[in-house]
Amino acid sequence: MSIWYAEFQQRAATSFTLFCAIRAPPGQRQYAVYHGCCEGKRASVRLFALPRGMIEFRPEAPEDRAVIHAINQAAFDGAFEAELVDQLREDGLFLLSLVATIDGAVTGHVLFSRLGVILDGRAVAAAALAPVAVLPEFQRRGIGSRLIEEGLAALPARGITAVFVLGHEDYYPRFGFSPELARRFESPFPVDAFMALELVPRALDGKSGQVTYPPAFGI
Ligand SMILES: CC(C)(COP(=O)(O)OP(=O)(O)OC[C@H]1O[C@@H](n2cnc3c(N)ncnc32)[C@H](O)[C@@H]1OP(=O)(O)O)[C@@H](O)C(=O)NCCC(=O)NCCS
């Protein structure tokens, strides 16, 4: 990556905005906006907005494993999710493990893994969405949302018809997840936090069912 243009704008005595145009593959100019502030002689700069084209998404490669572990550990401030990813990989339960990269560096990760789902006595080809993690310094810039969207778009080609998630009721409905849809399944989770999404219309039509998470989840 190389910077071919930068513009500095003083906004107040102690704050400034830096606009950067970045030359990035495949030869396009892309823009990033940084907001900075000065304290005495020290200046710090925070990335404020990422242009869409700067972020790339791809399935994990073997050399990403350590950084995926580190991202989950940093995002969740603990080892549980990082170890969960390692265990599900070892157990052969991955359906799709996607990373987000900026200038080649991995900054976010989402995992979709096999989930046992029975509805009215029939098996449903379902995935669990968990975990999703973005490095703390890159959070709230759309990376997590894009990881989830890219993953959901890729799952039907892998034969998956429904996805379940245990998470925040303010976050996942924006991707189409619904607590109502999950209510027909027995689960030990709070009803508003357990959500389901049909990737194929009517995939979860039915009266009652069970969802069985793999042992690695410790449920
Ligand atoms: C959750 C996470 C993956 C979202 O990724 P992100 O790139 O930061 O999020 P995006 O920029 O795509 O979306 C931002 C939105 O997510 C919401 N959001 C971020 N973290 C959230 C959380 N833990 N719970 C609820 N909402 C959250 C923000 O409020 C924001 O909402 P808005 O668009 O209405 O302002 C990321 O913040 C993260 O890694 N958090 C720590 C790990 C975690 O909690 N993972 C999810 C477990 S359910």
Side-chain angles (χ1 to χ4, degrees):
M1 182 180 83
S2 62
I3 294 178
W4 64 269
Y5 168 81
E7 184 186 327
F8 178 85
Q9 282 182 4
Q10 189 83 35
R11 290 162 59 226
T14 57
S15 70
F16 58 87
T17 300
L18 189 63
F19 297 93
C20 290
I22 294 160
R23 202 181 299 281
Q28 293 164 347
R29 290 165 186 169
Q30 297 168 347
Y31 292 83
V33 180
Y34 296 83
H35 282 184
C37 64
C38 315
E39 279 171 41
K41 286 185 180 170
R42 290 180 49 203
S44 60
V45 177
R46 193 170 71 83
L47 184 61
F48 183 72
L50 280 172
R52 238 178 136 73
M54 260 181 76
I55 313 169
E56 290 177 293
F57 301 88
R58 60 169 174 78
E60 75 162 47
E63 58 272 22
D64 297 324
R65 290 177 184 180
V67 75
I68 288 172
H69 187 101
I71 287 173
N72 278 283
Q73 186 141 12
F76 288 95
D77 197 19
F80 178 81
E81 287 77 8
E83 287 171 4
L84 172 65
V85 171
D86 291 342
Q87 191 61 52
L88 290 170
R89 188 189 291 110
E90 198 178 312
D91 294 344
L93 293 170
F94 273 23
L95 280 166
L96 180 61
S97 174
L98 271 185
V99 294
T101 64
I102 296 176
D103 195 23
V106 179
T107 53
H109 170 251
V110 68
L111 177 63
F112 296 87
S113 60
R114 287 187 196 285
L115 186 64
V117 176
I118 302 288
L119 178 59
D120 292 344
R122 67 182 167 92
V124 177
L129 161 49
V132 54
V134 174
L135 274 179
E137 56 270 38
F138 287 95
Q139 288 177 6
R140 303 202 169 211
R141 294 188 183 89
I143 297 175
S145 300
R146 298 255 339 257
L147 274 166
I148 294 169
E149 288 164 3
E150 299 272 334
L152 293 176
L155 286 175
R158 289 165 163 79
I160 299 301
T161 61
V163 182
F164 287 74
V165 68
L166 178 65
H168 205 286
E169 69 248 39
D170 291 338
Y171 190 57
Y172 292 97
R174 69 184 69 183
F175 308 104
F177 284 94
S178 145
E180 287 74 34
L181 207 48
R183 261 180 214 146
R184 67 198 63 171
F185 296 90
E186 283 169 26
S187 100
F189 309 124
V191 283
D192 288 334
F194 187 51
M195 291 169 256
L197 168 72
E198 290 175 333
L199 295 177
V200 171
R202 311 190 60 185
L204 297 179
D205 264 8
K207 285 200 175 65
S208 65
Q210 296 85 39
V211 172
T212 310
Y213 275 80
F217 282 88
I219 292 165

